[in-house]
Coordinates of all heavy atoms in Angstrom, one line a residue:
M1 N 10.5 -2.6 -14.1 CA 9.5 -1.6 -13.9 C 9.9 -0.3 -13.3 O 11.1 -0.2 -13.0 CB 8.2 -2.3 -13.1 CG 7.6 -3.3 -14.0 SD 6.6 -2.4 -15.2 CE 6.0 -3.9 -16.2
K2 N 9.1 0.4 -12.8 CA 9.3 1.7 -12.2 C 9.3 1.6 -10.7 O 8.6 0.8 -10.1 CB 8.2 2.7 -12.6 CG 8.1 2.8 -14.2 CD 9.0 3.9 -14.6 CE 8.7 4.0 -16.1 NZ 9.7 4.7 -16.8
N3 N 10.0 2.6 -10.0 CA 9.8 3.0 -8.6 C 8.9 4.1 -8.5 O 9.1 5.2 -9.1 CB 11.1 3.3 -8.0 CG 12.1 2.1 -8.0 OD1 11.7 1.1 -7.7 ND2 13.4 2.5 -8.3
I4 N 7.7 3.8 -7.7 CA 6.7 4.9 -7.5 C 6.5 5.1 -6.1 O 6.4 4.2 -5.3 CB 5.4 4.4 -8.3 CG1 5.6 4.1 -9.7 CG2 4.2 5.3 -8.0 CD1 4.5 3.4 -10.4
T5 N 6.2 6.4 -5.8 CA 5.8 6.8 -4.5 C 4.4 7.4 -4.5 O 4.1 8.2 -5.4 CB 6.7 7.9 -3.9 OG1 8.1 7.4 -3.7 CG2 6.3 8.3 -2.5
V6 N 3.5 6.9 -3.7 CA 2.1 7.4 -3.6 C 2.0 8.0 -2.2 O 2.4 7.5 -1.2 CB 1.2 6.2 -3.6 CG1 -0.3 6.7 -3.5 CG2 1.2 5.5 -5.0
I7 N 1.6 9.3 -2.3 CA 1.4 10.2 -1.1 C -0.1 10.0 -0.6 O -1.0 10.3 -1.3 CB 1.7 11.6 -1.3 CG1 3.0 11.7 -1.8 CG2 1.5 12.4 0.1 CD1 4.2 11.3 -1.0
G8 N -0.3 9.4 0.6 CA -1.6 9.2 1.1 C -2.0 7.7 1.0 O -1.7 7.0 -0.1
T9 N -2.6 7.2 2.1 CA -3.0 5.8 2.0 C -4.5 5.6 2.3 O -4.9 4.8 3.0 CB -2.2 4.9 3.0 OG1 -2.4 5.5 4.3 CG2 -0.7 4.8 2.6
G10 N -5.3 6.6 1.8 CA -6.8 6.6 1.9 C -7.3 5.7 0.8 O -6.7 4.9 0.3
Y11 N -8.6 6.0 0.4 CA -9.3 5.2 -0.6 C -8.6 5.3 -1.9 O -8.5 4.3 -2.6 CB -10.8 5.6 -0.7 CG -11.6 5.0 0.5 CD1 -12.0 5.8 1.5 CD2 -12.2 3.7 0.3 CE1 -12.7 5.4 2.6 CE2 -12.9 3.2 1.4 CZ -13.2 4.0 2.5 OH -14.0 3.6 3.5
V12 N -8.1 6.5 -2.3 CA -7.4 6.6 -3.5 C -6.0 6.1 -3.6 O -5.6 5.3 -4.4 CB -7.6 8.1 -4.0 CG1 -6.7 8.3 -5.3 CG2 -9.0 8.5 -4.2
G13 N -5.3 6.6 -2.5 CA -3.8 6.3 -2.5 C -3.6 4.8 -2.4 O -2.6 4.3 -3.0
L14 N -4.2 4.2 -1.5 CA -3.9 2.8 -1.1 C -4.4 1.9 -2.2 O -3.6 1.0 -2.6 CB -4.6 2.4 0.2 CG -4.4 0.9 0.7 CD1 -2.9 0.6 0.8 CD2 -5.1 0.6 1.9
V15 N -5.5 2.1 -2.8 CA -5.9 1.3 -3.9 C -5.1 1.5 -5.2 O -4.7 0.6 -5.8 CB -7.5 1.7 -4.2 CG1 -8.0 0.9 -5.5 CG2 -8.3 1.3 -3.1
S16 N -4.7 2.8 -5.4 CA -3.7 3.0 -6.5 C -2.4 2.4 -6.4 O -1.9 1.8 -7.3 CB -3.6 4.5 -6.8 OG -4.8 5.2 -7.1
G17 N -1.9 2.6 -5.1 CA -0.6 2.0 -4.9 C -0.6 0.5 -5.0 O 0.3 -0.1 -5.7
A18 N -1.6 -0.1 -4.4 CA -1.6 -1.6 -4.6 C -1.9 -2.1 -6.0 O -1.2 -3.1 -6.5 CB -2.9 -2.1 -3.6
G19 N -2.7 -1.3 -6.8 CA -2.9 -1.6 -8.2 C -1.5 -1.5 -9.0 O -1.3 -2.4 -9.8
L20 N -0.9 -0.4 -8.8 CA 0.5 -0.1 -9.4 C 1.4 -1.2 -9.1 O 2.2 -1.7 -10.0 CB 0.9 1.1 -9.1 CG 0.2 2.4 -9.8 CD1 0.6 3.7 -9.0 CD2 0.4 2.4 -11.4
A21 N 1.4 -1.7 -7.8 CA 2.3 -2.7 -7.4 C 2.0 -4.1 -8.1 O 2.8 -4.8 -8.5 CB 2.4 -2.9 -5.9
D22 N 0.7 -4.3 -8.2 CA 0.2 -5.5 -8.9 C 0.6 -5.6 -10.3 O 0.7 -6.7 -10.9 CB -1.4 -5.6 -8.7 CG -1.8 -7.0 -8.4 OD1 -1.0 -7.9 -7.8 OD2 -2.9 -7.4 -9.0
F23 N 0.9 -4.4 -10.9 CA 1.3 -4.4 -12.3 C 2.8 -4.7 -12.4 O 3.4 -4.7 -13.5 CB 1.0 -3.0 -12.9 CG -0.4 -2.9 -13.4 CD1 -1.1 -1.8 -13.1 CD2 -1.1 -3.9 -14.1 CE1 -2.5 -1.6 -13.4 CE2 -2.4 -3.7 -14.5 CZ -3.1 -2.6 -14.2
G24 N 3.5 -4.9 -11.2 CA 5.0 -5.2 -11.3 C 5.9 -4.0 -10.8 O 7.1 -4.2 -10.8
N25 N 5.3 -2.8 -10.5 CA 6.1 -1.7 -10.1 C 6.5 -1.9 -8.6 O 5.7 -2.5 -7.8 CB 5.3 -0.3 -10.3 CG 5.0 -0.2 -11.8 OD1 5.9 0.1 -12.6 ND2 3.7 -0.2 -12.0
R26 N 7.6 -1.2 -8.2 CA 7.9 -1.1 -6.8 C 7.3 0.2 -6.3 O 7.6 1.2 -6.7 CB 9.4 -1.1 -6.6 CG 9.8 -1.1 -5.2 CD 11.3 -1.3 -5.0 NE 11.7 -1.2 -3.6 CZ 11.9 -0.1 -2.9 NH1 11.9 1.0 -3.5 NH2 12.2 -0.2 -1.7
V27 N 6.4 0.1 -5.2 CA 5.6 1.1 -4.8 C 5.8 1.4 -3.3 O 5.8 0.4 -2.5 CB 4.1 1.0 -5.1 CG1 3.3 2.1 -4.5 CG2 3.8 0.8 -6.6
I28 N 6.0 2.6 -2.9 CA 6.1 2.9 -1.5 C 4.9 4.0 -1.3 O 4.9 4.9 -1.9 CB 7.4 3.7 -1.1 CG1 8.7 2.8 -1.5 CG2 7.4 4.1 0.3 CD1 10.0 3.4 -1.3
C29 N 4.1 3.5 -0.4 CA 2.9 4.4 0.0 C 3.3 5.2 1.3 O 3.8 4.5 2.3 CB 1.7 3.6 0.3 SG 1.0 2.8 -1.2
S30 N 3.1 6.4 1.2 CA 3.6 7.3 2.4 C 2.4 8.0 3.0 O 1.4 8.5 2.2 CB 4.6 8.3 2.0 OG 5.0 9.1 3.0
D31 N 2.2 8.1 4.3 CA 1.2 8.8 4.9 C 1.7 9.4 6.2 O 2.6 8.8 6.8 CB 0.0 7.9 5.2 CG -1.2 8.6 5.4 OD1 -1.3 9.5 6.3 OD2 -2.3 8.3 4.6
I32 N 1.1 10.5 6.7 CA 1.6 11.1 7.9 C 0.9 10.4 9.2 O 1.3 10.7 10.3 CB 1.3 12.6 8.0 CG1 -0.2 12.9 7.8 CG2 2.1 13.3 7.0 CD1 -0.5 14.4 8.1
D33 N -0.2 9.6 8.9 CA -0.8 9.0 10.0 C -0.2 7.6 10.4 O -0.3 6.6 9.8 CB -2.3 8.6 9.4 CG -3.2 8.0 10.5 OD1 -2.8 7.7 11.6 OD2 -4.4 8.1 10.2
E34 N 0.7 7.8 11.5 CA 1.5 6.7 12.0 C 0.7 5.5 12.4 O 1.0 4.3 12.0 CB 2.4 7.2 13.1 CG 3.4 8.1 12.6 CD 4.4 8.4 13.7 OE1 4.7 7.6 14.6 OE2 4.9 9.5 13.7
P35 N -0.4 5.6 13.0 CA -1.3 4.3 13.4 C -1.7 3.7 12.0 O -1.7 2.4 12.1 CB -2.3 5.0 14.2 CG -1.8 6.2 14.9 CD -0.9 6.7 13.7
K36 N -2.1 4.5 11.1 CA -2.6 3.8 9.9 C -1.5 3.0 9.2 O -1.5 1.8 8.7 CB -3.2 4.7 8.8 CG -3.7 4.1 7.6 CD -4.2 5.1 6.6 CE -5.2 6.1 6.9 NZ -5.7 6.8 5.9
I37 N -0.2 3.6 9.2 CA 1.0 2.9 8.6 C 1.4 1.7 9.3 O 1.7 0.6 8.7 CB 2.2 3.8 8.5 CG1 1.8 5.0 7.5 CG2 3.4 3.1 8.0 CD1 1.5 4.5 6.1
K38 N 1.3 1.6 10.7 CA 1.5 0.5 11.6 C 0.5 -0.6 11.2 O 0.9 -1.8 11.1 CB 1.4 0.9 13.0 CG 2.6 1.6 13.5 CD 2.6 1.9 15.0 CE 3.8 2.8 15.4 NZ 3.8 3.1 16.8
L39 N -0.7 -0.2 11.1 CA -1.8 -1.2 10.6 C -1.4 -1.9 9.3 O -1.4 -3.1 9.1 CB -3.2 -0.6 10.5 CG -3.9 -0.4 11.7 CD1 -5.3 0.4 11.4 CD2 -4.2 -1.7 12.4
L40 N -1.0 -1.0 8.3 CA -0.8 -1.6 7.0 C 0.4 -2.4 7.0 O 0.5 -3.4 6.3 CB -0.6 -0.4 6.0 CG -1.8 0.4 5.6 CD1 -1.4 1.7 5.0 CD2 -2.7 -0.4 4.7
K41 N 1.4 -2.0 7.7 CA 2.7 -2.9 7.9 C 2.4 -4.2 8.5 O 3.0 -5.2 8.2 CB 3.8 -2.1 8.7 CG 4.5 -1.1 7.9 CD 5.5 -0.4 8.7 CE 6.3 0.6 7.9 NZ 7.4 1.2 8.7
A42 N 1.4 -4.3 9.3 CA 1.0 -5.6 10.0 C 0.0 -6.3 9.2 O -0.4 -7.3 9.6 CB 0.3 -5.2 11.3
G43 N -0.2 -5.8 7.9 CA -1.2 -6.5 7.1 C -2.7 -6.2 7.2 O -3.5 -6.9 6.6
E44 N -3.1 -5.2 8.1 CA -4.4 -4.8 8.3 C -4.7 -3.8 7.2 O -4.0 -2.9 7.0 CB -4.6 -4.4 9.6 CG -4.3 -5.4 10.8 CD -5.2 -6.5 10.7 OE1 -6.4 -6.4 10.4 OE2 -4.8 -7.7 10.9
I45 N -5.9 -3.9 6.8 CA -6.3 -2.8 5.8 C -7.4 -1.8 6.5 O -8.6 -2.3 7.0 CB -7.1 -3.4 4.5 CG1 -6.1 -4.5 3.9 CG2 -7.5 -2.4 3.6 CD1 -4.9 -3.9 3.4
P46 N -7.2 -0.5 6.6 CA -8.0 0.4 7.4 C -9.2 0.8 6.6 O -10.0 1.5 7.1 CB -7.0 1.5 7.6 CG -6.1 1.5 6.5 CD -5.9 0.2 6.1
I47 N -9.5 0.5 5.4 CA -10.6 0.8 4.6 C -11.3 -0.5 4.0 O -10.6 -1.5 3.9 CB -10.3 1.7 3.4 CG1 -9.3 1.1 2.4 CG2 -9.7 3.0 4.0 CD1 -9.0 2.0 1.2
F48 N -12.5 -0.4 3.6 CA -13.1 -1.5 2.9 C -13.1 -1.3 1.4 O -13.7 -0.4 0.9 CB -14.6 -1.8 3.4 CG -15.2 -2.9 2.6 CD1 -14.8 -4.3 3.0 CD2 -16.1 -2.7 1.5 CE1 -15.4 -5.3 2.2 CE2 -16.6 -3.8 0.9 CZ -16.3 -5.0 1.3
E49 N -12.6 -2.2 0.7 CA -12.6 -2.3 -0.8 C -12.4 -3.8 -1.2 O -11.4 -4.4 -0.8 CB -11.4 -1.5 -1.3 CG -11.3 -1.4 -2.9 CD -12.5 -0.6 -3.4 OE1 -12.9 0.4 -2.8 OE2 -13.0 -0.9 -4.5
P50 N -13.5 -4.3 -1.8 CA -13.4 -5.8 -2.2 C -12.2 -6.1 -2.8 O -11.8 -5.5 -3.8 CB -14.7 -5.9 -3.0 CG -15.5 -4.7 -2.6 CD -14.6 -3.7 -2.3
G51 N -11.5 -7.2 -2.3 CA -10.4 -7.8 -2.9 C -9.0 -7.1 -2.6 O -7.9 -7.5 -3.0
L52 N -9.0 -5.9 -1.9 CA -8.0 -5.1 -1.7 C -6.9 -5.8 -0.7 O -5.7 -5.9 -1.0 CB -8.3 -3.8 -1.1 CG -7.1 -2.7 -0.8 CD1 -6.4 -2.5 -2.1 CD2 -7.6 -1.5 -0.1
K53 N -7.4 -6.5 0.3 CA -6.5 -7.2 1.3 C -5.6 -8.2 0.4 O -4.4 -8.3 0.7 CB -7.2 -7.8 2.4 CG -6.2 -8.6 3.4 CD -6.9 -8.8 4.6 CE -6.0 -9.5 5.6 NZ -4.6 -9.1 5.7
E54 N -6.3 -9.0 -0.4 CA -5.5 -9.9 -1.1 C -4.4 -9.3 -2.0 O -3.2 -9.8 -2.1 CB -6.4 -10.9 -2.1 CG -7.4 -11.7 -1.2 CD -8.5 -10.9 -0.7 OE1 -8.9 -9.8 -1.1 OE2 -9.3 -11.5 0.3
V55 N -4.8 -8.2 -2.7 CA -3.8 -7.5 -3.6 C -2.6 -7.0 -2.7 O -1.4 -7.1 -3.0 CB -4.4 -6.4 -4.4 CG1 -3.5 -5.6 -5.2 CG2 -5.5 -7.1 -5.3
V56 N -2.9 -6.3 -1.6 CA -1.9 -5.8 -0.7 C -1.1 -6.8 -0.3 O 0.2 -6.7 -0.3 CB -2.6 -5.0 0.4 CG1 -1.5 -4.6 1.4 CG2 -3.3 -3.7 -0.1
D57 N -1.7 -7.9 0.4 CA -0.8 -9.1 0.9 C 0.2 -9.6 -0.2 O 1.2 -9.9 0.2 CB -1.8 -10.2 1.4 CG -2.4 -9.8 2.7 OD1 -2.1 -8.7 3.3 OD2 -3.4 -10.5 3.1
R58 N -0.4 -9.9 -1.3 CA 0.4 -10.5 -2.4 C 1.6 -9.5 -2.7 O 2.7 -10.1 -2.9 CB -0.5 -10.6 -3.7 CG 0.3 -11.2 -4.9 CD -0.6 -11.5 -6.0 NE -1.5 -10.5 -6.5 CZ -2.8 -10.5 -6.4 NH1 -3.5 -11.5 -5.8 NH2 -3.6 -9.5 -6.8
N59 N 1.4 -8.2 -2.9 CA 2.5 -7.3 -3.1 C 3.5 -7.0 -2.0 O 4.5 -6.7 -2.2 CB 1.9 -6.1 -3.8 CG 1.3 -6.4 -5.2 OD1 2.1 -6.6 -6.1 ND2 0.1 -6.5 -5.3
I60 N 2.9 -7.1 -0.8 CA 3.9 -6.9 0.3 C 4.8 -8.2 0.2 O 6.0 -8.0 0.5 CB 3.1 -6.8 1.6 CG1 2.5 -5.5 1.8 CG2 4.1 -7.1 2.9 CD1 1.5 -5.3 3.0
K61 N 4.2 -9.3 0.2 CA 5.0 -10.6 0.2 C 6.0 -10.6 -1.0 O 7.0 -11.1 -0.8 CB 4.1 -11.8 -0.1 CG 4.6 -13.1 0.4 CD 3.5 -14.2 0.2 CE 3.1 -14.6 1.6 NZ 2.2 -15.7 1.6
S62 N 5.8 -10.1 -2.0 CA 6.6 -10.0 -3.2 C 7.5 -8.8 -3.2 O 8.4 -8.6 -4.1 CB 5.9 -10.1 -4.5 OG 5.2 -8.9 -4.7
C63 N 7.5 -8.1 -2.0 CA 8.4 -6.8 -1.9 C 8.2 -5.7 -2.8 O 9.2 -4.9 -3.1 CB 9.9 -7.3 -1.8 SG 10.2 -8.4 -0.4
R64 N 7.0 -5.7 -3.5 CA 6.7 -4.6 -4.5 C 5.9 -3.4 -3.7 O 5.8 -2.4 -4.3 CB 5.9 -5.2 -5.6 CG 6.8 -6.1 -6.6 CD 5.9 -6.3 -7.8 NE 4.7 -6.9 -7.5 CZ 4.4 -8.2 -7.6 NH1 5.3 -9.1 -8.1 NH2 3.2 -8.7 -7.3
L65 N 5.5 -3.6 -2.6 CA 4.6 -2.7 -1.8 C 5.1 -2.5 -0.4 O 5.3 -3.5 0.3 CB 3.2 -3.1 -1.9 CG 2.1 -2.1 -1.3 CD1 2.2 -0.8 -2.0 CD2 0.7 -2.7 -1.2
S66 N 5.4 -1.3 -0.1 CA 5.8 -1.0 1.4 C 5.2 0.3 1.7 O 4.5 1.0 1.0 CB 7.4 -0.9 1.4 OG 7.8 0.1 0.6
F67 N 5.3 0.6 3.1 CA 4.6 1.8 3.7 C 5.5 2.4 4.6 O 6.3 1.8 5.3 CB 3.3 1.2 4.5 CG 2.4 0.4 3.6 CD1 2.4 -0.9 3.7 CD2 1.4 1.0 2.9 CE1 1.5 -1.8 2.9 CE2 0.6 0.4 2.0 CZ 0.6 -1.1 2.1
T68 N 5.4 3.7 4.6 CA 6.3 4.5 5.5 C 5.5 5.9 5.8 O 4.6 6.3 5.2 CB 7.7 4.9 4.8 OG1 8.4 5.6 5.6 CG2 7.4 5.7 3.5
T69 N 6.1 6.6 6.9 CA 5.6 7.9 7.2 C 6.6 8.8 6.7 O 6.4 10.0 7.0 CB 5.4 8.0 8.7 OG1 6.6 7.7 9.4 CG2 4.3 7.2 9.2
D70 N 7.7 8.4 6.3 CA 8.8 9.3 5.9 C 8.9 9.5 4.3 O 9.2 8.6 3.6 CB 10.2 8.7 6.3 CG 11.3 9.5 5.9 OD1 11.2 10.7 5.7 OD2 12.5 9.0 6.0
V71 N 8.5 10.7 3.9 CA 8.6 11.0 2.4 C 10.0 11.2 2.0 O 10.4 10.8 0.9 CB 7.8 12.4 2.1 CG1 7.9 12.7 0.6 CG2 6.4 12.2 2.5

């Protein structure tokens, strides 16, 4: 599959990145908000979207989804 970078980890970026990773792509989500990236790396979801935590957890575990502050 593809390597994809998503800029922003808000409602649009995080959900899109998780969905793209769930399709089998390797996705890196980047954001300038360091506390938010730390939460995401720890498996915490800073927004509410039904089912998102399970999708994010599954793709982090399979190494298809990662988070960074460095573009």
Side-chain angles (χ1 to χ4, degrees):
M1 286 290 172
K2 305 266 184 201
N3 291 322
I4 299 171
T5 300
V6 175
I7 307 297
T9 56
Y11 284 97
V12 175
L14 181 57
V15 174
S16 298
L20 289 166
D22 217 33
F23 284 130
N25 298 293
R26 184 172 177 273
V27 180
I28 300 172
C29 291
S30 179
D31 201 303
I32 61 171
D33 188 344
E34 289 186 33
K36 186 189 291 187
I37 294 297
K38 285 181 184 179
L39 279 175
L40 289 165
K41 285 182 174 183
E44 300 294 325
I45 305 299
I47 62 172
F48 176 74
E49 182 69 34
L52 182 61
K53 179 158 178 48
E54 293 78 17
V55 175
V56 169
D57 288 346
R58 176 173 56 243
N59 287 289
I60 289 173
K61 193 177 256 185
S62 66
C63 298
R64 287 190 305 257
L65 183 61
S66 61
F67 304 98
T68 185
T69 57
D70 183 16
V71 177

